[in-house]
Amino acid sequence: MYSSKARLVFCWAHKLGFLNETVERVWFIPGFYSMNWWNYNDTHCTPAELKSAINHVILTDTINLRTDGKRAISGVTTTQYMENLHRWPTINKYKSNSYHPYGYDTAWAVALSLNATLNELQANPAKYDNKLLEDFTYNNSKMSELIKKEMFALYFEGITGTVKFTATGDRTGTLTVLQRVDNTRNFVGIYDGIKDKLNYTGGSANFHWNRRKVPTDGSQIINIIIPLEVNFTAALIIATLSLLGVPFSLTILGINNKYRNIRSIKVSSPTVNIFICVGAIFMYLANISYSLYQAVKYQVTDPIIPVVLCEIWKWFLPIGFTLSMGAIFSKAFRIYVIYASVQGKPRRRKISDRSLMKLIGIFLLIDAIILSLWSIIDPLRMITTVVESKPSVDNPDVTHVKQIYYCSSSYLAYWMLVLGTKETILLLFGMIVAYGTRNVPYKDLNDARLTITIVYNFAVVVVITGPLRFALDSIIPTPYFIIDGSIIWISITVMMSIIFLPKFCRMQKVKDTTIDLTNGTNKSQSKEVDYSHGNSHGNAINPKPKEAPVIHLAVADVSN
């Protein structure tokens, strides 16, 4: 039974390559297996493969009779013991096995321990309640502990060698050490378990090793840690580009406020535009913290620094997205409501900037609740994950461990799912209102195509970076970071450019044109723009050049 299991083990070792010439490992097996125990066809390996697999294994076996010539405690040598055994009258009636010397030494061990127990009982009668050895019962714990104590304290010379027990009751003695080389068993020496010493018969040259290199004595595995870190230069470039996005957004914000009464700016709700610019700044700052986190997480010893950068990233990115997208979509919603009123209902409806800011505030409140619960219930922490552990080709005792160090929390996937669902709903809301305002004829009001472009723009971030995070982040972090950070930066920059730059270009053409909101008059134009009625094609512009210039609804009411 034991040899069949050994054949299975060595077959798997052969199949897995644990026995090739580059692996410096030594296998120890019992020496009581038969000489050709490997020569069977009960595994997936051939006998020839098993024979090759067990080459150079070390075998250990007990020594049944001592060979040093010393006399046992009984006063006889091993030769005398064997002579006495064969003179025993019943020797021919019973078969003897190779372990009979251990029975002889066991009898002596029992006798000696009982004798020592008897002496202890007589020397300390009060301690053991005046009990004698004849009074022993299996319920007498004191006497049983005494017998065991005296057994473990034995130290005598037996026929099998020096007899001594460990604290756990195991026999320490001598073992023969052999090594299988090709098709023979070479006798190496005798191991003295009491002195913990291997006595070679012909020197250590009796051993034969692969490539003549002595393997290590015991496990001395050396782990070489290979951190999968983002290239510092790449992180610095993304951080710099994101940093430049902050003054870019501030410049757009300044132009928006300075020329807020120019028609192309006025009709785009300059007050709400402030939220778009602030949201962009938050997202740029989130990308900066993301880049700095990737750059310093392996460089600092205090984990609080990368955790703080992660927290900034976690808070600023969704809040910035909500500010910008909420502002863009709320403006589109107002145009949708006004346009629906003009086209389908005689009663005109009006939504002020204050109402839009309340709508944005609701979106922000939802984000704040989710993020606060996340930070309180399941805060971020730095986690180390082993990506790959591979032994060195040159030295099997050296293991190359690839690991990644990153921010995470116990329920990160669920928090991301909640936030992602909320942002997805916001994007769907934006697409619906953008689609509803696609036919608004006034050029400065119709941002439907731009809004849909922005939605697609940010949808690409989710579609591309989401799968890449699972596919590349733990394998090739630098390419993933470059793709992730770049796409986020491009999305923010494209959003700001397509929302504001066309308006600024139109503003340059008519920058001397202002709007008098007190009576809805365009001071430099001689057209009346009336959004009260539309024709059958959805057009709502009815030029009346000979009458007083009045803008009834779309321009004057859209931002009040």
Side-chain angles (χ1 to χ4, degrees):
M1 180 182 69
Y2 295 108
S3 60
S4 63
K5 291 183 178 180
R7 286 192 293 273
L8 184 60
V9 169
F10 278 96
C11 180
W12 274 108
H14 171 76
K15 295 292 186 183
L16 295 175
F18 289 166
L19 300 166
N20 56 50
E21 292 297 322
T22 61
V23 178
E24 296 163 2
R25 292 289 182 266
V26 179
W27 292 73
F28 285 78
I29 63 173
F32 55 74
Y33 293 159
S34 62
M35 188 65 182
N36 296 319
W37 62 270
W38 45 268
N39 195 16
Y40 288 87
N41 288 307
D42 56 355
T43 66
H44 295 293
C45 298
T46 64
E49 289 173 331
L50 289 174
K51 180 181 177 181
S52 175
I54 66 172
N55 198 25
H56 297 115
V57 299
I58 294 176
L59 305 96
T60 58
D61 201 358
T62 56
I63 298 179
N64 297 339
L65 287 170
R66 66 189 311 159
T67 58
D68 56 6
K70 289 185 178 181
R71 293 181 178 273
I73 193 172
S74 60
V76 299
T77 63
T78 55
T79 302
Q80 293 172 330
Y81 165 80
M82 292 300 296
E83 290 174 352
N84 293 337
L85 179 67
H86 285 93
R87 282 200 300 267
W88 197 257
T90 59
I91 187 65
N92 295 324
K93 293 183 180 181
Y94 304 99
K95 293 182 179 180
S96 63
N97 60 44
S98 59
Y99 295 104
H100 58 82
Y102 288 97
Y104 181 82
D105 284 347
T106 299
W108 271 97
V110 171
L112 291 171
S113 60
L114 291 176
N115 187 62
T117 301
L118 177 61
N119 293 334
E120 176 66 16
L121 291 173
Q122 292 175 347
N124 301 284
K127 183 178 179 181
Y128 298 101
D129 304 324
N130 296 314
K131 296 287 185 180
L132 299 176
L133 191 59
E134 294 86 344
D135 300 324
F136 171 78
T137 63
Y138 288 102
N139 295 326
N140 191 328
S141 59
K142 280 188 179 181
M143 194 175 295
S144 63
E145 287 296 324
L146 176 60
I147 294 173
K148 185 169 68 173
K149 173 186 173 184
E150 297 298 339
M151 175 73 76
F152 287 174
L154 289 178
Y155 187 97
F156 67 94
E157 300 297 334
I159 290 297
T160 59
T162 304
V163 178
K164 187 177 185 301
F165 297 97
T166 65
T168 58
D170 293 323
R171 162 76 185 273
T172 60
T174 54
L175 297 173
T176 57
V177 180
L178 306 97
Q179 186 181 33
R180 186 181 183 92
V181 181
D182 296 330
N183 201 34
T184 61
R185 290 184 178 185
N186 290 346
F187 183 77
V188 175
I190 296 176
Y191 172 72
D192 188 339
I194 296 176
K195 296 180 180 179
D196 191 20
K197 183 179 180 181
L198 177 61
N199 299 308
Y200 295 98
T201 57
S204 60
N206 283 14
F207 282 115
H208 296 266
W209 310 114
N210 285 334
R211 299 189 295 176
R212 296 184 179 180
K213 183 178 180 181
V214 179
T216 57
D217 182 12
S219 178
Q220 296 181 0
I221 299 297
I222 302 172
N223 291 328
I224 298 179
I225 305 300
I226 305 174
L228 295 177
E229 54 187 322
V230 171
N231 182 271
F232 184 81
T233 303
L236 185 62
I237 292 173
I238 299 297
T240 303
L241 290 174
S242 301
L243 183 62
L244 293 176
V246 176
F248 170 67
S249 302
L250 291 174
T251 301
I252 291 177
L253 180 60
I255 296 173
N256 173 79
N257 292 337
K258 182 177 180 179
Y259 299 102
R260 61 187 302 120
N261 288 326
I262 298 297
R263 178 167 56 185
S264 60
I265 304 299
K266 184 65 179 180
V267 297
S268 69
S269 304
T271 302
V272 181
N273 288 343
I274 295 174
F275 290 90
I276 301 176
C277 296
V278 173
I281 292 173
F282 267 79
M283 287 189 283
Y284 279 128
L285 292 175
N287 217 28
I288 292 172
S289 67
Y290 176 42
S291 303
L292 293 178
Y293 150 74
Q294 294 288 4
V296 307
K297 64 180 180 180
Y298 287 106
Q299 312 302 326
V300 296
T301 55
D302 190 356
I304 192 64
I305 296 176
V307 168
V308 169
L309 292 172
C310 280
E311 283 288 339
I312 295 174
W313 177 26
K314 182 186 81 175
W315 279 80
F316 279 28
L317 191 60
I319 287 178
F321 180 85
T322 298
L323 280 170
S324 295
M325 294 295 104
I328 292 171
F329 298 155
S330 62
K331 288 198 307 177
F333 177 67
R334 174 161 63 185
I335 301 303
Y336 174 79
V337 172
I338 294 174
Y339 181 69
S341 299
V342 172
Q343 296 296 322
K345 298 179 183 179
R347 181 167 62 88
R348 299 178 181 179
R349 302 166 66 183
K350 176 180 176 181
I351 299 179
S352 65
D353 284 347
R354 182 173 297 178
S355 299
L356 297 185
M357 287 188 284
K358 289 180 181 179
L359 183 60
I360 298 170
I362 293 173
F363 294 145
L364 285 176
L365 180 61
I366 295 173
D367 274 346
I369 292 173
I370 296 173
L371 292 169
S372 297
L373 290 174
W374 186 356
S375 296
I376 295 171
I377 298 174
D378 190 25
L380 291 175
R381 61 188 184 276
M382 296 305 295
I383 295 177
T384 302
T385 298
V386 175
V387 177
E388 182 184 53
S389 181
K390 190 175 181 180
S392 171
V393 176
D394 299 326
N395 188 348
D397 287 330
V398 175
T399 301
H400 296 284
V401 180
K402 292 183 180 180
Q403 66 181 26
I404 188 167
Y405 189 50
Y406 62 98
C407 278
S408 185
S409 59
S410 300
Y411 304 101
L412 176 67
Y414 297 103
W415 296 112
M416 295 295 291
L417 179 62
V418 172
L419 278 174
T421 302
K422 179 260 178 185
E423 306 300 1
T424 301
I425 293 173
L426 185 59
L427 288 174
L428 290 175
F429 169 74
M431 292 191 68
I432 292 172
V433 296
Y435 180 80
T437 59
R438 69 193 185 283
N439 291 323
V440 172
Y442 189 59
K443 190 173 183 179
D444 285 334
L445 291 177
N446 192 349
D447 286 339
R449 290 186 178 87
L450 299 181
T451 303
I452 292 176
T453 302
I454 292 170
V455 172
Y456 287 155
N457 185 44
F458 277 95
V460 166
V461 176
V462 178
V463 171
I464 293 181
T465 62
L468 284 178
R469 181 176 298 278
F470 295 99
L472 301 179
D473 190 25
S474 61
I475 303 175
I476 43 176
T478 296
Y480 165 75
F481 166 75
I482 293 174
I483 295 172
D484 192 18
S486 299
I487 290 179
I488 293 174
W489 179 83
I490 290 172
S491 299
I492 305 167
T493 307
V494 168
M495 176 194 72
M496 295 293 288
S497 300
I498 65 177
I499 285 292
F500 291 102
L501 294 187
K503 292 178 173 55
F504 292 165
C505 291
R506 290 197 296 272
M507 178 190 72
Q508 290 298 319
K509 296 178 182 178
V510 290
K511 64 181 179 180
D512 58 332
T513 302
T514 58
I515 298 174
D516 187 351
L517 296 179
T518 59
N519 57 12
T521 303
N522 185 332
K523 294 183 179 179
S524 66
Q525 301 230 358
S526 59
K527 293 183 179 179
E528 177 188 0
V529 183
D530 191 348
Y531 282 83
S532 302
H533 305 87
N535 55 30
S536 60
H537 301 290
N539 296 324
I541 300 179
N542 298 313
K544 297 180 182 180
K546 293 185 179 181
E547 299 181 6
V550 177
I551 300 174
H552 286 296
L553 174 66
V555 176
D557 283 356
V558 77
S559 60
N560 286 342

